[in-house]
Amino acid sequence: MDGATKRSRAVLEAAVFSLICSFSLVFAGDIVHQDDIAPKKPGCDNNFVLVKVPTWIGDNEEEEFVGVGARFGPTLESKEKDANKSRVALADPPDCCSTPKNKLTGEVILVHRGNCSFTDKARVAEAAGASAILIVNNQTELFKMVCEADESDVQIGIPAVMLPQDAGASLEASLQNKLNGIFYVQLYSPKRPLVDVAEVFLWLMAVGTILCASYWSAWTAREAAIEQDKILKDASDDYLNTESSRSSGVVDINTTSAVLFVVIASCFLVMLYKLMSYWFIEVLVVLFAIGGVEGLQTCLVAVLSCFRWFGHAAETYVKIPFLGAVSYLTLGVSPFCVTFAVVWAVYRRISFAWIGQDILGIALIVTVIQIIRVPNLKVGTVLLSCAFLYDIFWVFVSKWWFHESVMIMVARGDKSGEDGIPMLLKIPRMFDPWGGYSIIGFGDIILPGLLVAFSLRYDWLSNKSLRAGYFLWAMIAYGLGLLITYVALNLMDGHGQPALLYIVPFTVGTLLTLGKHRGDLRHLWSKGEPDRLCPHVQLQPSEQ
């Protein structure tokens, strides 16, 4: 293969690999929204928190809305039982920039945005006797209410909450059209639990996926080595001097592909960000479903082939146009895989569709780790170091250029009307009052998983025990890195975290340190495979 062909192949491999791994983020949905543009000052130093606004007519609970608390005013109760029910009154005039005409005795006043500052509206409402103020935005999005730049010390004694335009219109219509009873609201801001069970299951899912993928990759490599040794044992000397071919269907990435990953993955991510829309999400769903079918089919065939009932079907092939030789077992499981993916795509918006997405995602991840391999520690270090920088840039640094975190915007599926992109694993948060999902991107599993799988292949080919090898420590390092990611996630109140920021130093650092301590670093770094004697060269007892 000439140099140009090798470079072209490296670019193609990097492109496919980057498309699969371009999304890398652990996310749980923000509750506290930070804002560095509007710095805190005395009387105007609240965090921007989401606020639940359930409505009541008499004793019957009606709709529930979600708003965002202002930078100023007192903080709200965190528990529903401690939040008072208060009557709601419409402001007259609606903007509440002047004293309301209607008399207030502790009601929550509903006002429209505009014509004066947020703090002026709150002062007028407080002076008129309101217990809180709900400000309806003139857009469908939530808006962060801050103090004016020339206000040095803000003293406002009632809470202020911003509602989106559609929620405000619905609330106003319900208030005007109520038939009997008094219209009430509650205002409270529940806190997210420190740890949700969903995060525990997601951690187990990620670790378990890498564990299964690593064992499959190592088993395949060992079987290929045994088969090669059998061939070499009976081969002539001339054959021994030829370059041995690698297993079909396995791709070893190189340093060029590892570096190209950052460039190509960044291009894919910007494309996702710029083209994010309903139709583009539909395209991603189709691509994910196709990849999921291939992954699920590969995994099912591999598992079923282990049973003797399916052995004959797995070893019997039929030629199909454009596909070549395909086993009967593959033909048998393909309709099920296609049907599974199509059903998920059609019903992906229902509450339990995440199960199908996770099954397809795990199958795809395991297949990728089986097909794409890191040949040595050098390539693994370069790949994960590039991914480390990529993750940090697109989660944190991208805010300076795009005024928002590109990775988080893509994860949420903002501007698309959909609940995020499909290239991630997710589990619904079980004890979170805000609901939502805990998610982890494919890149946070595949990229470190390639290095972990490499460590197990090295151990098995070197005949190292579990404790004397590198795989156990690589798995522990990955688990600790992901665990610390979730600790950081909860400390940041669910704000998306670049998981590779924590995982890469643990995994790469562990293997480099351990390899240097044991004297294997040079071999791990450059060769990646142990020096093995040909099986037909048997050592004598005196030589062993």
Side-chain angles (χ1 to χ4, degrees):
M1 184 182 294
D2 58 29
T5 305
K6 288 182 178 179
R7 286 192 295 271
S8 300
R9 181 179 178 181
V11 173
L12 179 60
E13 292 172 5
V16 176
F17 185 62
S18 300
L19 176 61
I20 297 173
C21 301
S22 58
F23 181 72
S24 176
L25 181 74
V26 168
F27 184 72
D30 296 2
I31 285 184
V32 177
H33 296 252
Q34 305 297 338
D35 189 344
D36 297 329
I37 299 177
K40 297 179 180 181
K41 61 179 70 175
C44 195
D45 54 0
N46 294 340
N47 288 323
F48 294 109
V49 296
L50 295 178
V51 179
K52 288 196 174 186
V53 187
T55 61
W56 304 73
I57 295 181
D59 294 329
N60 298 320
E61 186 173 1
E62 302 293 322
E63 294 181 271
E64 182 178 275
F65 306 101
V66 176
V68 61
R71 181 76 95 186
F72 51 85
T75 58
L76 293 164
E77 293 288 347
S78 61
K79 297 181 179 179
E80 182 179 8
K81 64 179 183 179
D82 297 330
N84 296 324
K85 289 183 183 178
S86 301
R87 297 176 59 179
V88 184
L90 292 173
D92 185 15
D95 58 16
C96 198
C97 291
S98 58
T99 303
K101 298 177 182 179
N102 46 334
K103 184 178 180 181
L104 301 177
T105 55
E107 290 87 351
V108 173
I109 188 169
L110 183 66
V111 309
H112 288 188
R113 179 184 177 185
N115 300 330
C116 61
S117 68
F118 298 123
T119 52
D120 286 343
K121 294 177 186 291
R123 289 192 185 96
V124 171
E126 182 181 8
S131 61
I133 180 171
L134 292 175
I135 301 178
V136 180
N137 195 13
N138 52 17
Q139 299 177 4
T140 56
E141 295 83 10
L142 290 172
F143 187 83
K144 297 175 182 178
M145 297 185 291
V146 299
C147 302
E148 296 296 313
D150 56 354
E151 293 180 295
S152 58
D153 191 0
V154 181
Q155 298 294 332
I156 294 177
I158 61 173
V161 177
M162 169 70 73
L163 290 176
Q165 187 178 43
D166 53 350
S170 178
L171 183 58
E172 187 172 352
S174 299
L175 185 61
Q176 291 175 340
N177 298 330
K178 69 180 189 296
L179 299 177
N180 298 307
I182 302 174
F183 199 87
Y184 296 96
V185 296
Q186 281 182 298
L187 304 177
Y188 65 102
S189 179
K191 294 181 179 179
R192 169 168 285 144
L194 291 178
V195 178
D196 191 89
V197 177
E199 295 171 357
V200 177
F201 282 115
L202 203 60
W203 184 91
L204 292 173
M205 187 184 299
V207 172
T209 299
I210 290 182
L211 188 67
C212 294
S214 298
Y215 270 95
W216 188 13
S217 178
W219 181 83
T220 304
R222 186 171 65 178
E223 291 297 308
I226 293 174
E227 184 66 24
Q228 185 182 21
D229 286 348
K230 289 180 180 179
I231 295 175
L232 293 176
K233 184 177 181 179
D234 300 326
S236 63
D237 292 337
D238 293 335
Y239 182 82
L240 291 174
N241 292 329
T242 62
E243 182 180 1
S244 60
S245 61
R246 291 189 177 272
S247 303
S248 60
V250 175
V251 177
D252 282 349
I253 60 176
N254 53 33
T255 52
T256 303
S257 301
V259 174
L260 284 174
F261 164 78
V262 173
V263 178
I264 300 177
S266 296
C267 293
F268 280 127
L269 191 64
V270 172
M271 181 180 67
L272 291 172
Y273 176 73
K274 293 294 185 181
L275 299 180
M276 188 61 64
S277 60
Y278 175 79
W279 70 266
F280 194 68
I281 290 291
E282 295 294 315
V283 172
L284 293 179
V285 167
V286 172
L287 294 177
F288 173 74
I290 294 173
V293 168
E294 179 65 24
L296 187 60
Q297 175 183 282
T298 302
C299 292
L300 285 178
V301 169
V303 172
L304 294 177
S305 298
C306 298
F307 297 94
R308 61 181 181 179
W309 303 287
F310 301 99
H312 180 70
E315 296 174 357
T316 307
Y317 294 84
V318 60
K319 287 187 176 180
I320 297 179
F322 306 108
L323 297 179
V326 179
S327 70
Y328 283 103
L329 182 59
T330 301
L331 292 177
V333 301
S334 292
F336 168 78
C337 298
V338 172
T339 302
F340 188 92
V342 170
V343 170
W344 168 81
V346 173
Y347 296 100
R348 69 182 184 278
R349 296 181 183 88
I350 63 178
S351 60
F352 53 87
W354 61 273
I355 300 175
Q357 179 172 326
D358 288 350
I359 291 174
L360 292 173
I362 290 174
L364 179 58
I365 291 171
V366 171
T367 302
V368 169
I369 296 178
Q370 163 65 16
I371 293 175
I372 299 177
R373 296 184 180 181
V374 168
N376 52 49
L377 187 54
K378 175 184 176 181
V379 174
T381 301
V382 172
L383 175 64
L384 287 181
S385 297
C386 292
F388 175 81
L389 299 174
Y390 164 86
D391 228 16
I392 294 174
F393 180 86
W394 289 112
V395 174
F396 295 135
V397 184
S398 62
K399 295 179 182 179
W400 298 347
W401 280 273
F402 298 89
H403 306 293
E404 58 188 1
S405 174
V406 172
M407 187 81 79
I408 292 178
M409 293 299 105
V410 172
R412 291 172 173 166
D414 288 5
K415 306 174 186 177
S416 68
E418 293 279 332
D419 187 20
I421 62 175
M423 283 82 73
L424 47 85
L425 303 182
K426 65 180 185 179
I427 297 180
R429 297 180 64 83
M430 302 176 187
F431 299 103
D432 193 330
W434 293 102
Y437 293 88
S438 289
I439 69 173
I440 183 171
F442 285 178
D444 297 324
I445 303 176
I446 293 176
L447 295 172
L450 293 173
L451 189 62
V452 174
F454 157 74
S455 67
L456 184 58
R457 290 197 303 272
Y458 182 85
D459 288 353
W460 279 19
L461 294 176
S462 304
N463 293 320
K464 291 182 178 292
S465 65
L466 190 62
R467 294 186 60 182
Y470 294 90
F471 171 70
L472 175 63
W473 303 104
M475 280 299 305
I476 292 175
Y478 176 79
L480 286 176
L482 188 57
L483 180 63
I484 291 178
T485 302
Y486 282 113
V487 172
L489 181 71
N490 288 295
L491 290 177
M492 295 294 290
D493 294 288
H495 186 77
Q497 292 293 303
L500 296 180
L501 170 64
Y502 310 95
I503 294 173
V504 170
F506 271 88
T507 52
V508 175
T510 296
L511 290 181
L512 289 175
T513 304
L514 200 59
K516 184 176 181 180
H517 176 73
R518 293 176 175 177
D520 297 332
L521 183 57
R522 181 174 297 180
H523 210 140
L524 286 167
W525 183 261
S526 58
K527 293 186 178 180
E529 291 184 359
D531 292 326
R532 295 183 298 116
L533 293 173
C534 294
H536 61 281
V537 180
Q538 299 292 336
L539 294 179
Q540 298 300 321
S542 60
E543 298 175 313
Q544 295 180 356

